[in-house]
Structures are given as structure tokens and as C-alpha cells.
Amino acid sequence: MSEAPWLTIIGLGEDGLKGLTAASQSALDSTEIVMGPARHLALLGDLPCETIEWPVPFAEGVQQLLSLRGRRVVVLASGDPFWFGAGAVLARHLDPHEWQSLSTSSVFSLVANRLGWPLETTLCLGLHAAPLTRVRPHLATGLRLIVLLRDGAAVRDLADYLGEAGFGETSMTVFEALGGPRERVTEMQAKALPDTTFQHPVCVACDILGAGAAVPLASGRPDTWFDNDGQITKQPIRALTLSALAPHPFEHLWDVGGGSGSIGIEWLLCHPTLQATTIEPRPDRAARITANAASLGVDRLRVVTGAAPEALVGLDAPQAVFIGGGLSENLLHWLVENLAAGTRLVANAVTLETEALLLQAQEHHGGELMRLELSRSEPLGPRRGWKASYPIVQWSVTL
């Protein structure tokens, strides 16, 4: 018979004890210690056992909790602990047999039921510990969004952000202390937020409306989405490059010679499980890459300031590598010698010198060479003609 878990994570609603399931009430009745935020402890009133207030920042409480291993402990969380809650963080530090989770209805479910929104087509985000820019890739008229915010002041921040993005006509429904005796619901447009103070815990449902620009879903977003100093893989070439890199869920990309960061950013926009590290030797460009990633909602992009291959040492191994700048024989040799078999490598060359490197690399390591030539129509006197850009030679190979 397996040993009973010493830790129980209980999802708590704003109605406190009234909303507890029989299993959650039983766990509370038999526990030695209840640990949780002050607000959650207050919802339960006086308890016969020891109580510990979870410290801020949250990470400090994890070690305190682990020191209680072997005693019967209940940790209080909001609603469903495994939907933008504390459950996943705690589970990473514990073996599966050490804990159990007893959830109640999540805030997302409560809001969807209040508004009659199908939850499967509604975007749900937890931004209580993340920047508001996480919503940017999704913003488009017709989107329904339910978002958890860190505090009442963040409601105005969200309204301002939507307005600046061109979606000030969005209908916002603010839920405070949803499901409890302090519940308050306020409806307004983002551009007409009332002069009022909102209280934590707060959740906002947004029916997005406005003339703001939506980020295209296809790879090869317009260059205007990326602040740059001219060092950027241009839109058509970027689309072909992302196709050659062929992102798969849970993969990690090295973008060597980031420039504006457009390749790494577009890689991350493909799927939320993807990771990317951009290596850029110039500090000003590295700062620009970080800003571009944040503005497009992929702040998880890691930016390393340094020159390759030296800056690659010690990085988490990639499944795909793109070389857009700083291509050299030394770099290619390092990659071939140090990357695991099966790693996909894509390199673009513009100059004759780097093109020669790729020709030689393809001869030794195989793969596919492709020459990309693009022309755009431009005025030519009273008529129009084709103006060709520099041709790009692209080498793609699986090592």
C-alpha cells in the first residue's frame, strides 16, 4: 500500500469554508498545519491547527514548506491550483506520492459561466506575475479574453495598454472577489474606465474590439513589427527560414547573430512550449532584441550578449540553430563538433565569402543549398520595373 501524501493542496474560492468539498474539509480537519496567503487564511477564520502565512516573494515559501516534510500540511491556493496557480510550482519540488490536489471551480470557469462564454474558445491568461504584453500576439477584434491580474491597479494598466494598441473600444467586465461576499462586478469600455479603485483579487473579461493591428498568424510578419537598425532578416526570407527551421513543440532554438531578434521571436510565436536563445555581440542590438521580444509578448526569449562560438559554451542544447550573422569557418566547425546528432542547422549567406563557406560546408556535411532571389516593383521613370535585392544562399542540414 502506498504511503499517504503529507501535503494536500486545496483550491479555495472566495466563499471560504462554504465552497469546500467534503474531501477538502476532511483534509483540513485532519491536518497539523495550514499554510497560505493571509487573504486565504482569513477566508477560513479561526482554525484549530497551526497556521503559517505564505511569505512574499512566493519562492521563499517553497523552502519553508519543504522543511515541514513528514508532517500533515495543507497549502491553500485559489480555485484550481493547476490553472495559472501555485500547484505546478509546488509539484516541481515534490515526488508524485508526496502530494494531492483538491480543486474547486477556477475563476476562468466562474467567469465563463457568468457571461455565457464557451471556455474552449476563450483565451485564459494568468498575468498576476507576468507582463501585460503577453496578450499582444492574440489581440484581434472578436477575441474573448479572461485574464487574472496582480492587483486592482493593474485593471487601469490593462485598459491603457488596450487603448495604446488600438483596442480602446474593448468591453471590459471587472470581477472583484468573485463568488464571495465582497463580490463586485463592473462593466465599461477600456477607453472609458471609471474613476474607481478595484480590490484584489481581480479578474477581467475582455471582449476585444477596435481598429488596432493584429499580429499575423503566419511566419514572416511584416518588418514593421520589429524595431531594427537595418540588420534584420527581411520578411520573405524570414518566412522561408522559419520553414527550413521547422519548429516542433518543446524545442529550443539558437539564433546566432540576432540583429533585431526577428527569427528567435517568430520561432517563439509559433507555439507556447518553444524556447529560444539569441546570441548577439553588440550590446545595443541585444537591448533592442529584448525590447522587441517584450513588445510582441515573448519575453521568455533569452538574449546573450557575446560573440559565437565562445558565447555558446554552457547554453542549454538546441534542437535547431540559425546563423544569420557572424558566419565563419570557425563557428561552423564548432557547431559541427559540439552539437548533438539530429540538430537542424540553417545558415543564410549574402556575401560571396560566406556563400563560399556554405558551398564548402554542404560538400562536407551534405544538406540542401538554395539560392533565393527576390525582386520588387518600383517606379522606373514614368513606368515601373523590377528591382532585385541581394540574393541569399541558404544551407539547411540535419547534423
Side-chain angles (χ1 to χ4, degrees):
M1 181 179 296
S2 61
E3 184 180 350
W6 64 270
L7 173 65
T8 299
I9 306 168
I10 292 181
L12 193 64
E14 289 300 309
D15 52 358
L17 290 169
K18 293 181 181 179
L20 289 180
T21 63
S24 295
Q25 185 64 66
S26 176
L28 270 178
D29 292 342
S30 60
T31 192
E32 299 176 53
I33 302 170
V34 174
M35 187 173 180
R39 180 176 64 83
H40 287 154
L41 292 172
L43 289 172
L44 296 183
D46 293 332
L47 295 171
C49 59
E50 179 185 352
T51 60
I52 300 175
E53 184 175 326
W54 198 283
V56 177
F58 181 85
E60 292 184 5
V62 175
Q63 293 306 314
Q64 188 174 357
L65 172 65
L66 295 179
S67 71
L68 302 174
R69 185 182 265 118
R71 303 179 68 182
R72 296 187 66 81
V73 181
V74 163
V75 166
L76 303 176
S78 294
D80 185 344
F82 283 86
W83 200 353
F84 294 106
V89 177
L90 299 181
R92 287 200 295 266
H93 297 272
L94 299 163
D95 292 330
H97 69 273
E98 292 188 278
W99 62 271
Q100 63 177 338
S101 178
L102 305 173
S103 69
T104 186
S105 295
S106 71
V107 174
F108 301 114
S109 295
L110 293 174
V111 170
N113 278 272
R114 291 288 186 91
L115 299 178
W117 289 3
L119 204 53
E120 69 272 14
T121 58
T122 300
L123 177 65
C124 300
L125 292 175
L127 300 184
H128 37 290
L132 295 177
T133 51
R134 292 278 179 91
V135 308
R136 190 62 188 91
H138 312 284
L139 288 181
T141 291
L143 170 73
R144 283 175 168 174
L145 166 70
I146 302 175
V147 57
L148 307 180
L149 297 175
R150 66 179 182 276
D151 54 31
V155 176
R156 187 168 300 279
D157 294 339
L158 176 60
D160 291 343
Y161 182 76
L162 291 173
E164 292 166 3
F167 296 97
E169 296 178 13
T170 292
S171 172
M172 298 177 65
T173 305
V174 181
F175 296 89
E176 301 169 71
L178 180 60
R182 296 191 301 112
E183 178 183 307
R184 184 173 69 154
V185 181
T186 308
E187 298 181 15
M188 69 279 184
Q189 279 189 310
K191 65 181 181 182
L193 198 70
D195 185 16
T196 186
T197 300
F198 299 100
Q199 300 297 323
H200 181 74
V202 64
C203 173
V204 183
C206 300
D207 202 341
I208 303 298
L209 184 63
V215 179
L217 296 178
S219 296
R221 278 82 175 178
D223 297 343
T224 51
W225 284 101
F226 306 94
D227 182 27
N228 67 89
D229 58 4
Q231 191 70 19
I232 181 174
T233 302
K234 297 295 178 63
Q235 179 183 5
I237 303 300
R238 193 181 329 120
L240 291 167
T241 299
L242 263 294
S243 178
L245 287 168
H248 294 78
F250 301 100
E251 289 191 328
H252 180 203
L253 170 76
W254 284 357
D255 177 11
V256 182
S260 68
S262 62
I263 293 292
I265 291 170
E266 290 228 33
W267 168 278
L268 293 175
L269 286 171
C270 291
H271 200 267
T273 65
L274 292 170
Q275 298 296 321
T277 301
T278 294
I279 299 88
E280 170 54 52
R282 284 180 44 171
D284 59 329
R285 286 179 177 164
R288 185 179 291 112
I289 291 168
T290 299
N292 281 338
S295 69
L296 281 166
V298 288
D299 50 283
R300 67 185 187 278
L301 175 66
R302 181 184 179 188
V303 181
V304 174
T305 304
E310 293 78 12
L312 304 176
V313 177
L315 297 182
D316 291 341
Q319 285 70 50
V321 177
F322 171 64
I323 309 173
L327 181 63
S328 67
E329 185 176 359
N330 181 42
L331 174 58
L332 283 175
H333 176 76
W334 190 95
L335 292 171
V336 170
E337 290 296 315
N338 288 276
L339 293 179
T343 304
R344 303 187 301 281
L345 176 62
V346 177
N348 290 351
V350 178
T351 67
L352 292 174
E353 288 79 7
T354 51
E355 181 178 328
L357 282 177
L358 294 189
L359 289 169
Q360 185 179 31
Q362 195 260 353
E363 182 180 348
H364 285 89
H365 305 290
E368 182 177 302
L369 278 175
M370 182 165 51
R371 193 167 191 259
L372 310 172
E373 297 186 70
L374 297 172
S375 298
R376 296 180 185 274
S377 65
E378 290 195 1
L380 185 62
R383 300 178 181 273
R384 291 187 302 160
W386 293 106
K387 182 175 182 180
S389 58
Y390 287 113
I392 304 288
V393 172
Q394 183 179 91
W395 178 49
S396 55
V397 66
T398 299
L399 299 178

